[in-house]
Amino acid sequence: MDRQDIIVSTKKLSKRFNTKVATEKGWKKATVAAVSDVTLDIAAGETLGLVGESGCGKTTLGRMLALFYLPSEGTMTIRGVDVSALKPKQVKPLRQHVQMIFQDPVSSLNPRHTVENILTEPMKFFSSDTAPVRRQKAADLLEAVGLSADALRKYPHEFSGGQRQRISIARALVLNPAFVVADEPVSALDVSVQSQILNLMKDIREEFNLAYLFISHDLAVVHHLADRVAVMYLGRIVEIATRDSLFEDARHPYTHSLLRFVPTVVPNKSKIGKILQGDPPSPIDPPNGCPFHPRCPHAIDICKASIPVLETVNAVARHATACHLQDEINQQSGDR
Ligand code: SF4
């Protein structure tokens, strides 16, 4: 990947939230480590899939990259600008380069606004276009997402779920962004509509040379769209690779367990792991050592004492994994 094409880059990015937890003696202050030590790059025209169980930090990381939250630690650059060094006011001009598509197109579109208002409102803040120009741009975007200009005068409730998600995608494109965070964009849609929206997102990526962070709990959906895939567990990236390397040669026991749910797209069946037992630990009180050790069938003493770092296992496939035993486990999988 050419460094000049990098749109988003993070180094040891972390986000903590202060909260309170109930104890026998009343409320106690606590810290939620939602995202920890995330280092990644996303290039123009590239889709990075982000997978993991609910509550693993995917949405928080997506919202950080979409500039909703500033980092607690680490750095984050958008088109070469270091966001972590900026004050909240200074972040505003960068927002036009980064947009978000949400899971639920019903609640993400204002029901009291026409589609024309929804699409042209952001242009008023970030461009000097006249009203007729804004209207024409909105009509062109609707055409790009497969809807006619007639939709401009209608309200969101007049559309089906798939059509509303097309409008959400058009809205994300209004300011000609370089990077779009899509948080479970098809999981609220009927299965029959999902592939249409995924194909539309693919086409839009090519046409606008977009970089995507595509968040999903569904690995089959990620397999359809992503060029690379990152696996997140308890706020940390535990494995990252090109799509084919991740599905054909997963190294981390947690990834092996996730692959169990998509056997139809896993060529190397020996990499399919066991059903996960129990729930993930709380990010308020994470375990010492490897965050996966309480659920990992391979855990040994070192796993309870030291956090494994992401290490490259295949430079060509840009494949890295965070597991003390990845060589041994991979050897066992190959022997099966
Ligand atoms: Fe399992 Fe240990 Fe690897 Fe963590 S470091 S995934 S506990 S083997």
Side-chain angles (χ1 to χ4, degrees):
M1 184 167 35
D2 188 335
R3 293 294 305 175
Q4 289 178 342
D5 290 342
I6 298 291
I7 301 295
V8 180
S9 179
T10 73
K11 283 207 173 47
K12 291 189 148 302
L13 192 70
S14 297
K15 184 68 187 174
R16 291 185 298 276
F17 297 103
N18 293 326
T19 186
K20 287 182 178 169
V21 290
T23 68
E24 288 174 1
K25 295 179 184 166
W27 292 94
K28 190 179 92 174
K29 285 184 183 170
T31 303
V32 179
V35 171
S36 301
D37 283 343
V38 169
T39 297
L40 53 80
D41 289 329
I42 310 175
E46 183 183 41
T47 299
L48 177 67
L50 182 62
V51 300
E53 291 163 285
S54 296
C56 72
K58 306 187 294 291
T59 291
T60 302
L61 178 58
R63 286 177 179 239
M64 290 177 81
L65 299 187
L67 302 173
F68 285 76
Y69 306 136
L70 289 175
S72 303
E73 277 170 19
T75 61
M76 176 169 93
T77 60
I78 305 281
R79 295 185 106 178
V81 178
D82 184 356
V83 177
S84 33
L86 300 179
K87 297 194 169 86
K89 252 190 187 171
Q90 296 171 306
V91 173
K92 200 175 167 192
L94 279 177
R95 290 196 198 280
Q96 63 183 304
H97 303 308
V98 182
Q99 294 294 315
M100 192 149 182
I101 301 168
F102 297 92
Q103 175 179 2
D104 182 3
V106 177
S107 57
S108 67
L109 298 174
N110 190 328
R112 290 191 294 274
H113 285 194
T114 61
V115 171
E116 180 173 351
N117 278 345
I118 289 168
L119 296 184
T120 58
E121 202 64 23
M123 297 182 206
K124 292 180 188 169
F125 292 99
F126 287 99
S127 79
S128 52
D129 292 338
T130 60
V133 172
R134 291 196 297 267
R135 191 168 202 280
Q136 185 56 50
K137 280 187 177 176
D140 292 345
L141 282 171
L142 285 176
E143 192 184 333
V145 299
L147 295 172
S148 76
D150 290 349
L152 285 173
R153 56 187 166 72
K154 295 184 180 173
Y155 289 84
H157 72 266
E158 297 179 67
F159 298 91
S160 67
Q163 288 171 327
R164 279 195 287 258
Q165 200 57 305
R166 287 175 190 270
I167 295 166
S168 297
I169 293 170
R171 183 184 56 181
L173 299 173
V174 156
L175 298 176
N176 199 17
F179 175 51
V180 172
V181 176
D183 190 357
E184 303 273 8
V186 296
S187 58
L189 303 177
D190 290 341
V191 176
S192 58
V193 180
Q194 287 186 358
S195 59
Q196 293 173 22
I197 296 297
L198 290 173
N199 288 336
L200 171 65
M201 289 185 68
K202 260 187 182 176
D203 294 344
I204 293 286
R205 178 184 63 189
E206 312 304 325
E207 189 177 341
F208 294 83
N209 198 27
L210 291 172
Y212 282 142
L213 179 74
F214 185 85
I215 301 171
S216 179
H217 67 280
D218 185 338
L219 269 80
V221 166
V222 168
H223 185 268
H224 190 81
L225 192 73
D227 302 300
R228 287 190 298 137
V229 183
V231 180
M232 203 165 187
Y233 188 82
L234 211 64
R236 295 176 182 276
I237 303 289
V238 296
E239 186 153 22
I240 184 167
T242 57
R243 181 195 66 174
D244 289 348
S245 193
L246 192 104
F247 281 85
E248 290 170 19
D249 191 24
R251 305 293 184 103
H252 196 281
Y254 179 57
T255 312
H256 292 171
S257 297
L258 295 182
L259 293 179
R260 190 178 177 82
F261 297 102
V262 283
T264 50
V265 291
V266 183
N268 187 352
K269 303 289 186 256
S270 72
K271 298 290 181 181
I272 294 178
K274 298 193 167 94
I275 293 176
L276 276 174
Q277 302 296 326
D279 295 319
S282 165
I284 292 177
D285 186 21
N288 290 333
C290 172
F292 189 54
H293 88 251
R295 302 169 84 193
C296 180
H298 308 281
I300 57 172
D301 284 351
I302 189 177
C303 305
K304 298 171 189 165
S306 132
I307 300 176
V309 293
L310 264 182
E311 284 181 3
T312 300
V313 293
N314 179 341
V316 176
R318 301 173 67 201
H319 195 150
T321 189
C323 172
H324 293 306
L325 301 179
Q326 68 88 13
D327 285 336
E328 291 87 337
I329 293 168
N330 201 47
Q331 181 65 40
Q332 286 169 19
S333 300
D335 293 344
R336 259 187 246 156

